[in-house]
Structures are given as structure tokens and as C-alpha cells.
């Protein structure tokens, strides 16, 4: 739909592309964001628009365990931190995916939350 939008609105000012991603492996996330047509895949990715990307929600989906969420987070965050095309990102932590929650109901960090805040981040 973004290709159609940009074609119909060539004079519009768009600063960023905001996307959500619920994959559970780095290669799928990378393909989704960057595209994989050069490697014979069918995804064109969001970088085709030449705008910085805000990955406003990402985590594994509801079928994955906390261990899966942790492994994915530990792989995805360094990629996101080092990609010049990713402007911002935010882990999806909500009741809809209990295994991805970063905080307990009392506000304390879950084990996954402790992992998240412990990962190197350039915004500090």
C-alpha cells in the first residue's frame, strides 16, 4: 500500500516509515525491513522508500516461549542498533503476547525485561 500511497502523493512530506513486525528470527525481520529480492525472494522491504524506519512494535508472536523471545531479542537488537536505516525501535510488551512482556504487574522487570535493558543501546 505504501507504493500506491507514494505514487498518489508524490508531493507529500513523509519523514519516517513506521512498521510493526512479529517474526521470531533475525533473517525474517531483516528481509521484511530491507527486502530480499536481490536474493531471489519476493519481499521488497521498506527501505525502498528511502526514509528512516521506525519499528514501532516487534517481538515474536503468541506461539513462542519466553526463551524464544529472549533469543530473538538478543539477535534483533544488535542488528537494529547497527542498521543506519532504523531510526527507532520498540519491543512490543503487552498482555496480547504474555511471553514478550518486559514488566510484571507490580512494575518490576521480568527476566525478559532485564535482558532488554541490559542490551547495548546507542541512545544511552
Amino acid at each position: 500500500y505504501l507504493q500506491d500511497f507514494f505514487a498518489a502523493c508524490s508531493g507529500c512530506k513523509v519523514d519516517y516509515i513506521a512498521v510493526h513486525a512479529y517474526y521470531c528470527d533475525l533473517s525474517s525481520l531483516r528481509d521484511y525491513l530491507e527486502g530480499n529480492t536481490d536474493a531471489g525472494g519476493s519481499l521488497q522491504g521498506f527501505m525502498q522508500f528511502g526514509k528512516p524506519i521506525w519499528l514501532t512494535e516487534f517481538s515474536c508472536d503468541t506461539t513462542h516461549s519466553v526463551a524464544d523471545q529472549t533469543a530473538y531479542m538478543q539477535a534483533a537488537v544488535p542488528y537494529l542498533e547497527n542498521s543506519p536505516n532504523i531510526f527507532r525501535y520498540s519491543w512490543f510488551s503487552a498482555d496480547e503476547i504474555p511471553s514478550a512482556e518486559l514488566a510484571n504487574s507490580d512494575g518490576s522487570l521480568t527476566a525478559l525485561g532485564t535482558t532488554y535493558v541490559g542490551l547495548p543501546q546507542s541512545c544511552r
Side-chain angles (χ1 to χ4, degrees):
Y1 73 92
L2 285 175
Q3 287 177 335
D4 293 340
F5 171 79
F6 283 115
C9 194
S10 61
C12 292
K13 182 178 188 301
V14 175
D15 296 320
Y16 306 97
I17 302 295
V19 300
H20 298 173
Y22 297 98
Y23 298 98
C24 205
D25 65 278
L26 182 56
S27 62
S28 294
L29 176 64
R30 186 181 295 121
D31 288 350
Y32 180 67
L33 297 174
E34 296 178 16
N36 64 7
T37 56
D38 290 345
S42 61
L43 292 173
Q44 290 187 319
F46 293 96
M47 291 182 188
Q48 68 178 300
F49 303 110
K51 303 290 181 188
I53 295 173
W54 282 39
L55 181 57
T56 56
E57 293 181 10
F58 81 105
S59 71
C60 300
D61 64 28
T62 59
T63 65
H64 293 275
S65 67
V66 173
D68 292 341
Q69 301 282 1
T70 302
Y72 177 54
M73 177 188 285
Q74 289 172 324
V77 168
Y79 160 73
L80 297 168
E81 283 290 325
N82 291 303
S83 174
N85 301 301
I86 305 300
F87 185 71
R88 296 280 188 267
Y89 63 86
S90 180
W91 186 259
F92 183 73
S93 178
D95 291 343
E96 291 83 7
I97 306 176
S99 63
E101 290 185 321
L102 301 177
N104 295 304
S105 59
D106 66 1
S108 64
L109 292 175
T110 63
L112 186 63
T114 300
T115 297
Y116 191 56
V117 299
L119 292 169
Q121 297 177 13
S122 62
C123 64
R124 291 185 183 169

